[in-house]
Amino acid sequence: MQNFQVHPIGKINVNDDGMFIELEPKYIPALQALDGFSHINVIWWFSDFDSEEMRNVFEAPQPYKKAPPLMGIFATRSPIRPNPIALTTAQVIYADFSKGIIQIAYIDANNGTPVLDIKPYTPSLDRVENPGVPEWCRHWPKSLDQSENFDWENEFNF
């Protein structure tokens, strides 16, 4: 099987002022024309869950309260997976393109987490008007905006 190399373009910085993506200086030119997008897709590395043992976990025992008793890892958003790659759609609060800093509303990554890529969120390519989901998660909010006030802690078994 072929192996691939990825290189972080920056990292997540979480501090008292908020959540930020801080790019390595060489990638700052890649931000050109990103202004005007209210949301971005952030591809990042679950660096705290990257071990040979975790990369060989393919099933998860009922991670969500109403889910089936056993789920394949590809049916979950678990950080423990064969390739610990994460994708988060994040609202852009502010961007300093000269310094390579983007403040985002929220990301479920830890401070110092490597960021692999950023892509603009474009509804014409990223939004599905009426996605189908299994019955056990059909009561979840229909959008990121609605998720803000949803009691997610009542959904997980961890």
Side-chain angles (χ1 to χ4, degrees):
M1 180 175 283
Q2 188 174 8
N3 291 319
F4 301 93
Q5 287 187 345
V6 293
H7 303 279
I9 62 166
K11 66 181 180 181
I12 300 295
N13 179 358
V14 180
N15 60 46
D16 291 339
D17 294 327
M19 299 181 150
F20 302 87
I21 298 169
E22 295 179 352
L23 292 186
E24 294 293 326
K26 76 183 259 188
Y27 297 107
I28 290 174
L31 293 173
Q32 187 167 349
L34 190 63
D35 55 323
F37 288 97
S38 66
H39 292 74
I40 54 176
N41 287 319
V42 183
I43 300 167
W44 49 282
W45 197 257
F46 281 120
S47 54
D48 293 342
F49 297 90
D50 189 4
S51 72
E52 194 62 33
E53 179 184 356
M54 290 180 187
R55 284 174 172 247
N56 283 290
V57 174
F58 306 123
E59 296 175 325
Q62 197 175 36
Y64 315 105
K65 290 182 178 171
K66 296 180 180 176
L70 185 65
M71 297 179 69
I73 211 70
F74 298 143
T76 76
R77 296 180 65 92
S78 171
I80 299 170
R81 47 200 325 116
N83 291 303
I85 297 171
L87 169 66
T88 300
T89 300
Q91 180 184 5
V92 176
I93 303 297
Y94 170 79
D96 184 332
F97 295 116
S98 67
K99 294 181 178 174
I101 297 173
I102 303 171
Q103 183 177 11
I104 54 178
Y106 179 77
I107 191 165
D108 52 343
N110 295 328
N111 188 42
T113 295
V115 174
L116 303 179
D117 202 355
I118 296 169
K119 298 177 185 290
Y121 176 89
T122 52
S124 57
L125 299 173
D126 298 319
R127 182 177 178 197
V128 176
E129 197 72 33
N130 295 303
V133 296
E135 178 66 33
W136 59 265
C137 65
R138 205 160 284 158
H139 64 285
W140 288 4
K142 303 286 186 252
S143 71
L144 186 62
D145 299 326
Q146 293 175 2
S147 290
E148 190 173 306
N149 298 317
F150 188 71
D151 184 12
W152 285 106
E153 288 187 23
N154 197 34
E155 297 297 316
F156 299 112
N157 283 329
F158 49 89

